């Protein structure tokens, strides 16, 4: 994706469907972390832009780091006062792990469809079997529709609890 927020539509939809199981915050955090890599290579004008963290192995390591940082932050809250932005202290390790996994692996799938420099299966293969399985415009539209559907579902859910 040219901009990480396109990925957020899918995350919002997943969170809207399973809000108690998946952390949208973790989904977004992993997506942003993954896209620090191409940002660095773009700014330093060093192609290819999508490298290690745009592989399933690299995304798995970022997922593990995200969950590890969450566990460390939760441990620190028992010893010092940390701000509770976005209500992160109410999340469970399970929610963060599921949200982070959904974010990291969906990021690789979505970017594999549109970026020719991704080799998502490294170090096992240099192939990218998902490249151009759909038009980039269709991919962006699908992400936007998923985000809009999430907004509708989140907005309608309280009305259904009457």
């Amino acid at each position: 994706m040219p901009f990480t927020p396109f990925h957020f539509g899918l995350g919002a939809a997943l969170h809207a469907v399973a809000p108690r199981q998946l952390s949208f915050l973790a989904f977004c955090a992993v997506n942003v972390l993954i896209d620090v890599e191409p940002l660095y290579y773009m700014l330093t004008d060093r192609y290819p832009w999508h490298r290690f963290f745009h592989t399933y192995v690299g995304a798995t390591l970022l997922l593990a780091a995200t969950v590890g940082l969450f566990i460390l932050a939760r441990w620190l809250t028992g010893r010092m006062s940390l701000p509770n932005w976005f209500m992160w202290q109410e999340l469970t390790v399970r929610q963060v792990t599921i949200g982070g996994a959904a974010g990291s692996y969906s990021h690789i799938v979505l970017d594999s469809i549109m970026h020719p420099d991704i080799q998502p299966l490294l170090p096992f293969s240099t192939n990218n079997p998902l490249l151009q399985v759909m038009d980039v415009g269709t991919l962006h539209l699908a992400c936007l529709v998923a985000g809009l559907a999430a907004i509708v579902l989140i907005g309608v859910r309280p009305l259904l609890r009457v």
Side-chain angles (χ1 to χ4, degrees):
M1 296 282 151
F3 302 102
T4 298
F6 275 103
H7 293 274
F8 297 166
L10 176 59
L14 292 172
H15 181 72
V17 170
R20 292 185 186 103
Q21 282 70 43
L22 181 141
S23 165
F24 182 59
L25 183 60
F27 183 99
C28 293
V30 170
N31 271 281
V32 170
L33 288 174
I34 289 172
D35 270 348
V36 168
E37 176 187 54
L39 176 63
Y40 169 78
Y41 288 116
M42 285 179 196
L43 292 174
T44 59
D45 197 27
R46 294 169 51 203
Y47 193 83
W49 298 329
H50 301 88
R51 299 186 188 193
F52 178 71
F53 292 117
H54 279 79
T55 67
Y56 290 103
V57 173
T60 300
L61 291 177
L62 281 179
L63 165 61
T66 301
V67 173
L69 287 171
F70 172 75
I71 292 169
L72 174 64
R74 289 290 300 265
W75 180 79
L76 287 173
T77 60
R79 284 138 188 83
M80 64 176 58
S81 177
L82 294 176
N84 194 17
W85 300 317
F86 306 109
M87 306 297 285
W88 70 270
Q89 293 177 20
E90 281 72 43
L91 296 172
T92 66
V93 173
R94 181 176 182 268
Q95 291 170 316
V96 170
T97 302
I98 292 171
S104 62
Y105 300 128
S106 68
H107 190 110
I108 304 308
V109 168
L110 294 173
D111 277 10
S112 292
I113 294 170
M114 66 177 293
H115 294 297
D117 64 331
I118 290 183
Q119 297 175 328
L121 304 175
L122 281 177
F124 310 106
S125 171
T126 58
N127 291 334
N128 180 356
L130 295 178
L131 183 61
Q132 298 177 340
V133 296
M134 76 169 56
D135 176 74
V136 173
T138 303
L139 180 63
H140 286 161
L141 181 60
C143 291
L144 289 173
V145 167
L148 292 173
I151 291 168
V152 169
L153 183 56
I154 290 167
V156 168
R157 183 176 291 126
L159 301 174
L160 298 175
R161 292 185 184 147
V162 176

